Protein backbone atom coordinates (compact mmCIF):
# COMPACT_ATOMS: atom_id res chain seq x y z
CA UNK A 1 0.00 0.00 0.00
CA UNK A 2 1.39 3.39 -0.99
CA UNK A 3 0.42 6.79 0.37
CA UNK A 4 1.56 10.11 -1.07
CA UNK A 5 2.89 12.78 1.18
CA UNK A 6 0.99 15.90 2.16
CA UNK A 7 -0.64 17.60 -0.79
CA UNK A 8 -0.07 14.54 -3.01
CA UNK A 9 3.64 15.35 -3.49
CA UNK A 10 6.83 14.01 -2.09
CA UNK A 11 8.07 10.46 -1.94
CA UNK A 12 5.43 7.78 -1.39
CA UNK A 13 5.20 6.21 2.03
CA UNK A 14 4.65 2.48 2.08
CA UNK A 15 2.41 0.82 4.65
CA UNK A 16 1.76 -2.78 5.56
CA UNK A 17 -0.76 -4.55 7.77
CA UNK A 18 0.54 -6.34 10.82
CA UNK A 19 -0.62 -7.47 14.26
CA UNK A 20 -0.49 -3.85 15.45
CA UNK A 21 -2.63 -2.54 12.56
CA UNK A 22 -1.51 -0.52 9.53
CA UNK A 23 2.09 0.60 10.13
CA UNK A 24 4.75 2.28 8.06
CA UNK A 25 7.01 -0.09 6.19
CA UNK A 26 10.03 -0.92 8.31
CA UNK A 27 8.10 -1.47 11.55
CA UNK A 28 9.34 -4.49 13.45
CA UNK A 29 7.28 -7.70 13.24
CA UNK A 30 6.59 -7.44 16.98
CA UNK A 31 5.24 -3.91 17.07
CA UNK A 32 5.54 -0.35 15.83
CA UNK A 33 8.91 1.15 15.01
CA UNK A 34 10.77 3.25 17.53
CA UNK A 35 10.20 7.02 16.97
CA UNK A 36 13.82 7.96 17.56
CA UNK A 37 13.97 11.06 15.40
CA UNK A 38 10.79 12.76 16.64
CA UNK A 39 11.61 11.90 20.26
CA UNK A 40 15.08 13.42 19.94
CA UNK A 41 13.72 16.61 18.37
CA UNK A 42 11.02 17.02 21.02
CA UNK A 43 13.47 16.37 23.86
CA UNK A 44 15.96 18.93 22.53
CA UNK A 45 13.16 21.46 22.05
CA UNK A 46 11.84 20.89 25.60
CA UNK A 47 15.29 21.28 27.15
CA UNK A 48 16.27 24.33 25.09
CA UNK A 49 12.86 25.99 25.32
CA UNK A 50 12.79 25.56 29.09
CA UNK A 51 16.06 27.51 29.33
CA UNK A 52 14.48 30.44 27.51
CA UNK A 53 11.35 30.11 29.68
CA UNK A 54 13.49 30.18 32.82
CA UNK A 55 15.17 33.41 31.69
CA UNK A 56 11.80 35.00 30.92
CA UNK A 57 10.36 33.96 34.31
CA UNK A 58 13.44 34.71 36.41
CA UNK A 59 12.43 35.88 39.87
CA UNK A 60 8.93 34.46 39.50
CA UNK A 61 9.77 30.76 39.34
CA UNK A 62 12.62 28.60 40.60
CA UNK A 63 15.76 28.43 38.47
CA UNK A 64 16.50 25.27 36.53
CA UNK A 65 18.74 22.88 38.42
CA UNK A 66 19.86 19.28 37.75
CA UNK A 67 16.55 17.91 39.11
CA UNK A 68 14.59 20.09 36.71
CA UNK A 69 16.69 18.95 33.77
CA UNK A 70 16.25 15.29 34.78
CA UNK A 71 12.47 15.75 34.93
CA UNK A 72 12.47 17.42 31.50
CA UNK A 73 14.67 14.66 30.13
CA UNK A 74 12.38 11.97 31.56
CA UNK A 75 9.32 13.64 30.03
CA UNK A 76 11.02 13.87 26.63
CA UNK A 77 12.79 10.50 26.46
CA UNK A 78 9.72 8.57 27.66
CA UNK A 79 8.08 9.52 24.36
CA UNK A 80 10.25 6.87 22.74
CA UNK A 81 7.81 4.25 24.10
CA UNK A 82 4.64 6.15 23.19
CA UNK A 83 3.68 3.76 20.36
CA UNK A 84 4.26 0.59 22.38
CA UNK A 85 2.90 1.68 25.78
CA UNK A 86 0.76 4.77 25.04
CA UNK A 87 -1.25 4.74 28.30
CA UNK A 88 1.82 4.34 30.54
CA UNK A 89 3.72 7.07 28.68
CA UNK A 90 0.74 9.46 28.96
CA UNK A 91 0.68 9.04 32.75
CA UNK A 92 4.49 9.15 32.91
CA UNK A 93 4.83 12.47 31.09
CA UNK A 94 1.91 13.97 33.03
CA UNK A 95 3.50 12.84 36.32
CA UNK A 96 6.91 14.25 35.36
CA UNK A 97 5.30 17.56 34.36
CA UNK A 98 3.33 17.68 37.62
CA UNK A 99 6.46 17.13 39.73
CA UNK A 100 8.29 19.73 37.61
CA UNK A 101 5.58 22.35 38.15
CA UNK A 102 5.14 21.39 41.81
CA UNK A 103 8.85 22.07 42.37
CA UNK A 104 8.27 25.64 41.21
CA UNK A 105 10.14 25.40 37.92
CA UNK A 106 9.06 27.73 35.10
CA UNK A 107 6.14 27.05 32.83
CA UNK A 108 7.20 26.15 29.32
CA UNK A 109 7.62 23.41 26.71
CA UNK A 110 7.18 20.61 29.24
CA UNK A 111 3.53 20.66 28.21
CA UNK A 112 4.57 19.66 24.69
CA UNK A 113 5.70 16.22 25.92
CA UNK A 114 2.35 15.77 27.66
CA UNK A 115 0.49 16.84 24.51
CA UNK A 116 2.40 14.39 22.27
CA UNK A 117 1.99 11.46 24.66
CA UNK A 118 -1.74 12.07 25.14
CA UNK A 119 -2.21 12.50 21.40
CA UNK A 120 -0.52 9.13 20.80
CA UNK A 121 -2.64 7.47 23.50
CA UNK A 122 -5.93 8.78 22.07
CA UNK A 123 -4.97 7.82 18.51
CA UNK A 124 -4.02 4.33 19.73
CA UNK A 125 -7.45 3.96 21.34
CA UNK A 126 -6.50 4.64 24.97
CA UNK A 127 -8.85 7.59 25.32
CA UNK A 128 -9.70 7.04 29.00
CA UNK A 129 -6.03 6.87 29.94
CA UNK A 130 -5.22 10.04 28.02
CA UNK A 131 -8.10 12.01 29.50
CA UNK A 132 -7.26 10.69 32.98
CA UNK A 133 -3.64 11.78 32.59
CA UNK A 134 -4.72 15.26 31.50
CA UNK A 135 -7.22 15.45 34.35
CA UNK A 136 -4.56 14.31 36.83
CA UNK A 137 -2.17 17.00 35.64
CA UNK A 138 -4.80 19.74 35.81
CA UNK A 139 -6.07 18.67 39.26
CA UNK A 140 -2.50 18.43 40.56
CA UNK A 141 -1.65 21.86 39.19
CA UNK A 142 -4.81 23.30 40.75
CA UNK A 143 -3.88 21.79 44.11
CA UNK A 144 -0.30 23.09 43.91
CA UNK A 145 -1.19 26.57 42.67
CA UNK A 146 -3.91 27.26 45.27
CA UNK A 147 -2.96 25.28 48.38
CA UNK A 148 0.40 23.48 48.42
CA UNK A 149 2.29 26.54 47.12
CA UNK A 150 2.81 27.65 50.74
CA UNK A 151 5.16 24.74 51.40
CA UNK A 152 6.66 24.35 47.94
CA UNK A 153 9.35 26.40 46.14
CA UNK A 154 9.91 29.07 45.22
CA UNK A 155 9.83 30.69 48.66
CA UNK A 156 7.34 33.48 49.10
CA UNK A 157 5.30 32.41 46.10
CA UNK A 158 1.69 33.59 46.03
CA UNK A 159 -1.37 31.67 44.89
CA UNK A 160 -1.86 31.60 41.14
CA UNK A 161 -4.62 33.72 39.69
CA UNK A 162 -7.77 32.01 38.43
CA UNK A 163 -7.14 33.66 35.07
CA UNK A 164 -3.93 31.63 34.72
CA UNK A 165 -5.87 28.52 35.73
CA UNK A 166 -8.28 29.19 32.89
CA UNK A 167 -5.33 29.47 30.50
CA UNK A 168 -3.88 26.16 31.74
CA UNK A 169 -7.29 24.48 31.50
CA UNK A 170 -7.74 25.85 27.99
CA UNK A 171 -4.41 24.40 26.91
CA UNK A 172 -5.31 21.01 28.34
CA UNK A 173 -8.71 21.00 26.65
CA UNK A 174 -6.99 21.98 23.39
CA UNK A 175 -4.60 19.05 23.79
CA UNK A 176 -7.51 16.67 24.33
CA UNK A 177 -9.49 18.14 21.42
CA UNK A 178 -6.55 17.86 19.02
CA UNK A 179 -5.98 14.28 20.16
CA UNK A 180 -9.61 13.41 19.48
CA UNK A 181 -9.40 15.08 16.08
CA UNK A 182 -6.30 13.07 15.26
CA UNK A 183 -8.02 9.86 16.35
CA UNK A 184 -11.06 10.65 14.19
CA UNK A 185 -8.89 11.42 11.17
CA UNK A 186 -6.89 8.23 11.66
CA UNK A 187 -10.06 6.12 11.91
CA UNK A 188 -11.45 7.83 8.82
CA UNK A 189 -8.19 7.14 6.98
CA UNK A 190 -8.29 3.48 8.07
CA UNK A 191 -11.91 3.14 6.90
CA UNK A 192 -11.04 4.75 3.57
CA UNK A 193 -8.08 2.42 3.11
CA UNK A 194 -10.21 -0.60 4.00
CA UNK A 195 -12.94 0.47 1.57
CA UNK A 196 -10.36 1.00 -1.17
CA UNK A 197 -8.87 -2.43 -0.51
CA UNK A 198 -12.32 -4.05 -0.60
CA UNK A 199 -13.16 -2.20 -3.81
CA UNK A 200 -9.87 -3.32 -5.37
CA UNK A 201 -10.53 -6.93 -4.40
CA UNK A 202 -14.08 -6.67 -5.72
CA UNK A 203 -12.87 -5.26 -9.04
CA UNK A 204 -10.26 -8.02 -9.29
CA UNK A 205 -12.88 -10.68 -8.55
CA UNK A 206 -15.24 -9.20 -11.11
CA UNK A 207 -12.48 -9.10 -13.72
CA UNK A 208 -11.51 -12.71 -13.03
CA UNK A 209 -15.15 -13.72 -13.32
CA UNK A 210 -15.52 -11.82 -16.58
CA UNK A 211 -12.44 -13.48 -18.08
CA UNK A 212 -13.59 -16.90 -16.88
CA UNK A 213 -16.99 -16.35 -18.52
CA UNK A 214 -15.40 -15.22 -21.78
CA UNK A 215 -13.01 -18.17 -21.90
CA UNK A 216 -15.77 -20.63 -21.04
CA UNK A 217 -18.11 -19.29 -23.70
CA UNK A 218 -15.43 -19.17 -26.41
CA UNK A 219 -13.90 -22.57 -25.66
CA UNK A 220 -17.13 -24.44 -24.94
CA UNK A 221 -18.69 -23.39 -28.25
CA UNK A 222 -15.61 -23.90 -30.40
CA UNK A 223 -14.59 -27.20 -28.82
CA UNK A 224 -18.16 -28.51 -29.19
CA UNK A 225 -18.04 -27.72 -32.91
CA UNK A 226 -14.58 -29.28 -33.19
CA UNK A 227 -15.71 -32.39 -31.29
CA UNK A 228 -18.73 -32.94 -33.52
CA UNK A 229 -16.80 -32.36 -36.73
CA UNK A 230 -13.94 -34.58 -35.60
CA UNK A 231 -16.45 -37.38 -35.06
CA UNK A 232 -17.92 -36.79 -38.52
CA UNK A 233 -14.44 -36.74 -40.10
CA UNK A 234 -13.40 -39.99 -38.42
CA UNK A 235 -16.64 -41.72 -39.43
CA UNK A 236 -16.41 -40.63 -43.08
CA UNK A 237 -12.65 -40.68 -43.57
CA UNK A 238 -12.72 -43.93 -45.56
CA UNK A 239 -16.21 -43.84 -47.12
CA UNK A 240 -16.59 -40.14 -48.00
CA UNK A 241 -13.26 -38.29 -48.12
CA UNK A 242 -14.84 -35.07 -49.40
CA UNK A 243 -17.22 -34.87 -46.45
CA UNK A 244 -14.32 -35.67 -44.15
CA UNK A 245 -12.33 -32.87 -45.76
CA UNK A 246 -15.25 -30.47 -45.17
CA UNK A 247 -15.31 -31.50 -41.50
CA UNK A 248 -11.60 -30.84 -41.18
CA UNK A 249 -12.04 -27.44 -42.83
CA UNK A 250 -14.73 -26.59 -40.28
CA UNK A 251 -12.42 -27.71 -37.46
CA UNK A 252 -9.66 -25.49 -38.78
CA UNK A 253 -11.97 -22.44 -39.02
CA UNK A 254 -13.46 -23.02 -35.57
CA UNK A 255 -10.06 -23.49 -33.94
CA UNK A 256 -8.68 -20.35 -35.65
CA UNK A 257 -11.60 -18.26 -34.43
CA UNK A 258 -11.30 -19.71 -30.92
CA UNK A 259 -7.60 -18.89 -30.80
CA UNK A 260 -8.28 -15.34 -31.94
CA UNK A 261 -10.93 -14.76 -29.27
CA UNK A 262 -8.82 -16.37 -26.55
CA UNK A 263 -5.89 -14.16 -27.57
CA UNK A 264 -8.15 -11.10 -27.35
CA UNK A 265 -9.25 -12.07 -23.83
CA UNK A 266 -5.68 -12.72 -22.69
CA UNK A 267 -4.51 -9.40 -24.16
CA UNK A 268 -6.59 -7.65 -21.53
CA UNK A 269 -4.44 -9.34 -18.89
CA UNK A 270 -1.14 -8.40 -20.51
CA UNK A 271 -2.05 -4.77 -21.24
CA UNK A 272 -4.76 -3.71 -18.77
CA UNK A 273 -6.49 -0.48 -19.71
CA UNK A 274 -5.45 -0.58 -23.38
CA UNK A 275 -8.08 -0.51 -26.09
CA UNK A 276 -8.86 -3.97 -27.52
CA UNK A 277 -7.25 -4.76 -30.85
CA UNK A 278 -10.48 -6.22 -32.26
CA UNK A 279 -14.10 -5.26 -31.57
CA UNK A 280 -15.99 -7.42 -29.12
CA UNK A 281 -18.49 -9.78 -30.77
CA UNK A 282 -22.16 -8.83 -30.84
CA UNK A 283 -25.44 -9.80 -32.41
CA UNK A 284 -24.13 -8.43 -35.72
CA UNK A 285 -22.12 -11.68 -35.88
CA UNK A 286 -25.19 -13.84 -35.42
CA UNK A 287 -24.97 -15.14 -39.05
CA UNK A 288 -21.43 -16.38 -38.32
CA UNK A 289 -22.72 -18.13 -35.22
CA UNK A 290 -25.48 -19.78 -37.27
CA UNK A 291 -22.91 -20.91 -39.84
CA UNK A 292 -20.71 -22.42 -37.14
CA UNK A 293 -23.71 -24.25 -35.70
CA UNK A 294 -24.51 -25.55 -39.18
CA UNK A 295 -20.97 -26.87 -39.39
CA UNK A 296 -21.70 -28.86 -36.23
CA UNK A 297 -24.83 -30.31 -37.83
CA UNK A 298 -27.32 -27.96 -36.18
CA UNK A 299 -29.84 -26.03 -38.26
CA UNK A 300 -30.71 -22.66 -36.71
CA UNK A 301 -33.67 -20.50 -37.73
CA UNK A 302 -33.41 -16.84 -36.71
CA UNK A 303 -36.45 -14.56 -36.56
CA UNK A 304 -36.44 -10.88 -35.69
CA UNK A 305 -33.81 -8.17 -35.99
CA UNK A 306 -31.52 -7.07 -33.17
CA UNK A 307 -31.90 -3.47 -31.98
CA UNK A 308 -29.02 -1.09 -31.39
CA UNK A 309 -27.40 -2.20 -28.12
CA UNK A 310 -24.65 -0.78 -25.90
CA UNK A 311 -21.38 -2.72 -26.33
CA UNK A 312 -21.72 -4.59 -23.03
CA UNK A 313 -25.30 -5.65 -23.71
CA UNK A 314 -24.45 -6.58 -27.30
CA UNK A 315 -21.63 -8.86 -26.11
CA UNK A 316 -23.84 -10.41 -23.41
CA UNK A 317 -26.62 -11.11 -25.93
CA UNK A 318 -24.17 -12.75 -28.35
CA UNK A 319 -22.63 -14.92 -25.64
CA UNK A 320 -26.05 -16.00 -24.35
CA UNK A 321 -27.13 -17.13 -27.82
CA UNK A 322 -23.73 -18.79 -28.34
CA UNK A 323 -23.93 -20.70 -25.06
CA UNK A 324 -27.55 -21.73 -25.67
CA UNK A 325 -26.67 -23.14 -29.13
CA UNK A 326 -23.59 -24.85 -27.67
CA UNK A 327 -25.83 -26.58 -25.12
CA UNK A 328 -28.12 -27.75 -27.91
CA UNK A 329 -25.16 -29.25 -29.76
CA UNK A 330 -23.79 -30.92 -26.65
CA UNK A 331 -26.89 -31.97 -24.72
CA UNK A 332 -29.81 -32.24 -27.12
CA UNK A 333 -30.72 -34.94 -29.62
CA UNK A 334 -32.38 -32.30 -31.78
CA UNK A 335 -30.58 -31.04 -34.86
CA UNK A 336 -32.81 -28.01 -35.14
CA UNK A 337 -32.97 -24.85 -33.01
CA UNK A 338 -34.85 -21.58 -33.22
CA UNK A 339 -33.59 -18.15 -32.16
CA UNK A 340 -36.20 -15.42 -31.76
CA UNK A 341 -35.41 -11.73 -31.17
CA UNK A 342 -38.13 -9.43 -29.87
CA UNK A 343 -37.72 -5.98 -28.45
CA UNK A 344 -39.62 -2.88 -27.44
CA UNK A 345 -38.47 0.49 -26.16
CA UNK A 346 -37.25 -0.98 -22.87
CA UNK A 347 -35.93 -4.51 -23.30
CA UNK A 348 -34.65 -7.14 -25.72
CA UNK A 349 -36.05 -10.67 -25.40
CA UNK A 350 -33.88 -13.52 -26.67
CA UNK A 351 -35.51 -16.93 -26.94
CA UNK A 352 -33.59 -20.05 -27.99
CA UNK A 353 -35.64 -23.27 -28.39
CA UNK A 354 -34.79 -26.81 -29.37
CA UNK A 355 -37.05 -29.84 -29.79
CA UNK A 356 -35.02 -32.26 -27.69
CA UNK A 357 -34.86 -34.85 -26.38
CA UNK A 358 -31.92 -34.48 -23.98
CA UNK A 359 -29.05 -36.86 -24.54
CA UNK A 360 -27.82 -36.75 -20.92
CA UNK A 361 -29.48 -36.52 -17.56
CA UNK A 362 -30.36 -32.97 -16.46
CA UNK A 363 -29.15 -31.47 -19.68
CA UNK A 364 -28.93 -27.77 -19.28
CA UNK A 365 -29.21 -28.05 -15.53
CA UNK A 366 -26.99 -26.02 -13.26
CA UNK A 367 -23.68 -26.11 -15.13
CA UNK A 368 -21.20 -23.30 -15.67
CA UNK A 369 -22.82 -22.32 -18.96
CA UNK A 370 -26.19 -21.42 -17.48
CA UNK A 371 -24.51 -19.82 -14.44
CA UNK A 372 -22.44 -17.64 -16.80
CA UNK A 373 -25.55 -16.62 -18.77
CA UNK A 374 -27.36 -15.66 -15.57
CA UNK A 375 -24.37 -13.62 -14.38
CA UNK A 376 -24.16 -11.77 -17.69
CA UNK A 377 -27.85 -10.94 -17.61
CA UNK A 378 -27.81 -9.95 -13.93
CA UNK A 379 -24.83 -7.62 -14.52
CA UNK A 380 -27.02 -5.65 -16.96
CA UNK A 381 -30.14 -5.75 -14.78
CA UNK A 382 -31.73 -8.50 -16.90
CA UNK A 383 -33.00 -12.02 -16.24
CA UNK A 384 -32.54 -15.55 -17.60
CA UNK A 385 -35.14 -18.32 -17.56
CA UNK A 386 -34.00 -21.77 -18.64
CA UNK A 387 -35.75 -25.12 -18.42
CA UNK A 388 -37.62 -27.91 -20.22
CA UNK A 389 -40.64 -26.98 -22.32
CA UNK A 390 -44.03 -28.54 -21.74
CA UNK A 391 -44.07 -30.06 -25.26
CA UNK A 392 -40.50 -31.39 -25.01
CA UNK A 393 -37.15 -29.81 -25.72
CA UNK A 394 -35.49 -26.98 -23.86
CA UNK A 395 -35.88 -23.21 -23.80
CA UNK A 396 -33.58 -20.36 -22.80
CA UNK A 397 -35.32 -16.98 -22.45
CA UNK A 398 -33.22 -13.89 -21.72
CA UNK A 399 -34.58 -10.41 -21.06
CA UNK A 400 -31.97 -7.64 -21.34
CA UNK A 401 -32.69 -3.94 -20.77
CA UNK A 402 -31.87 -1.66 -23.68
CA UNK A 403 -30.64 1.07 -21.34
CA UNK A 404 -27.61 0.58 -19.11
CA UNK A 405 -28.47 0.79 -15.41
CA UNK A 406 -27.35 4.05 -13.84
CA UNK A 407 -25.62 2.30 -10.91
CA UNK A 408 -23.38 0.33 -13.23
Amino acid sequence: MDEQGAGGGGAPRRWRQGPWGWNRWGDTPHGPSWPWRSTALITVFVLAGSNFAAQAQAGERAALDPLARVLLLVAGVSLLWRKRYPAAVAFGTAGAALVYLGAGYPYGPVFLAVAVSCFSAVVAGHRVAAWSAIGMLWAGHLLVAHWLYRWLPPAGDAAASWGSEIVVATWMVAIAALSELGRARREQWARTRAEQARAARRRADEERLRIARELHDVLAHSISVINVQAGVGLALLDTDPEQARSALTTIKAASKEALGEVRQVLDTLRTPGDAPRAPAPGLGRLPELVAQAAGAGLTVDVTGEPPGLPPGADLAAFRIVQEALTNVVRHSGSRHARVRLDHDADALRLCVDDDGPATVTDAGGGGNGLAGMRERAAALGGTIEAGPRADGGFRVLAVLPLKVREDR
Side-chain angles (χ1 to χ4, degrees):
M1 176 183 297
D2 292 342
E3 181 195 11
Q4 294 296 330
R13 294 176 297 184
R14 300 196 316 179
W15 295 72
R16 68 178 180 184
Q17 190 173 20
W20 295 74
W22 285 102
N23 299 317
R24 264 191 279 263
W25 193 267
D27 288 357
T28 66
H30 305 293
S33 59
W34 296 92
W36 294 97
R37 185 176 303 175
S38 60
T39 298
L41 290 175
I42 293 172
T43 302
V44 170
F45 178 81
V46 168
L47 290 172
S50 296
N51 286 329
F52 287 104
Q55 295 175 7
Q57 301 173 43
E60 300 176 8
R61 307 288 294 175
L64 295 180
D65 56 19
L67 175 61
R69 300 186 189 282
V70 168
L71 291 173
L72 294 173
L73 192 63
V74 167
V77 172
S78 63
L79 295 178
L80 188 61
W81 286 269
R82 68 182 183 272
K83 290 186 178 182
R84 295 173 179 262
Y85 309 104
V89 172
F91 279 106
T93 55
L98 182 58
V99 173
Y100 174 87
L101 296 176
Y105 299 122
Y107 296 97
V110 66
F111 289 111
L112 176 61
V114 179
V116 172
S117 65
C118 290
F119 180 88
S120 297
V122 170
V123 168
H126 299 272
R127 303 171 66 189
V128 174
W131 281 85
S132 299
I134 293 175
M136 179 191 75
L137 177 58
W138 182 77
H141 178 268
L142 192 67
L143 188 65
V144 168
H146 293 277
W147 183 46
L148 297 179
Y149 69 92
R150 299 180 181 88
W151 301 282
L152 294 174
D157 192 17
S161 66
W162 287 103
S164 63
E165 286 300 326
I166 294 176
V167 172
V168 173
T170 301
W171 273 104
M172 294 184 179
V173 170
I175 292 172
L178 288 175
S179 302
E180 291 292 337
L181 178 61
R183 179 191 61 83
R185 292 294 298 273
R186 184 184 178 95
E187 290 180 354
Q188 181 181 5
W189 178 85
R191 286 194 298 270
T192 301
R193 285 293 182 182
E195 291 172 0
Q196 291 174 348
R198 285 194 296 269
R201 287 193 298 269
R202 184 171 60 252
R203 287 193 298 270
D205 291 341
E206 291 172 352
E207 183 63 12
R208 283 193 295 267
L209 181 60
R210 183 192 70 80
I211 293 171
R213 281 199 303 261
E214 288 294 317
L215 290 176
H216 172 273
D217 292 345
V218 170
L219 295 177
H221 175 75
S222 300
I223 292 176
S224 295
V225 173
I226 291 171
N227 180 63
V228 171
Q229 290 301 314
V232 172
L234 288 174
L236 301 177
L237 184 61
D238 296 326
T239 60
D240 192 348
E242 280 302 316
Q243 188 66 27
R245 183 186 298 274
S246 176
L248 290 175
T249 301
T250 302
I251 290 174
K252 180 179 179 181
S255 60
K256 180 179 180 181
E257 180 178 358
L259 287 173
E261 293 201 34
V262 169
R263 188 176 297 112
Q264 182 180 352
V265 172
L266 295 181
D267 279 345
T268 63
L269 294 179
R270 298 189 183 98
T271 55
D274 288 356
R277 299 179 182 179
L283 290 181
R285 290 179 54 184
L286 196 53
E288 297 178 28
L289 198 58
V290 171
Q292 292 173 5
L298 180 65
T299 301
V300 181
D301 295 330
V302 179
T303 58
E305 292 293 331
L309 293 171
D314 203 17
L315 174 62
F318 177 83
R319 294 302 189 201
I320 289 171
V321 175
Q322 183 184 52
E323 180 61 30
L325 295 180
T326 300
N327 286 341
V328 175
V329 172
R330 296 172 61 188
H331 303 305
S332 176
S334 174
R335 296 298 89 192
H336 181 256
R338 295 176 298 279
V339 177
R340 189 174 70 252
L341 306 174
D342 295 322
H343 68 90
D344 53 25
D346 297 322
L348 166 68
R349 282 172 288 279
L350 289 171
C351 184
V352 181
D353 287 318
D354 72 88
D355 298 327
T359 58
V360 295
T361 305
D362 292 332
N368 291 331
L370 281 180
M373 286 193 285
R374 290 191 177 98
E375 289 168 357
R376 288 185 183 276
L380 298 170
T383 59
I384 288 282
E385 295 178 9
R389 298 189 306 167
D391 57 349
F394 199 82
R395 167 172 290 176
V396 174
L397 175 62
V399 180
L400 303 177
L402 295 182
K403 296 181 180 179
V404 179
R405 297 197 309 187
E406 294 183 358
D407 59 342
R408 289 283 169 183

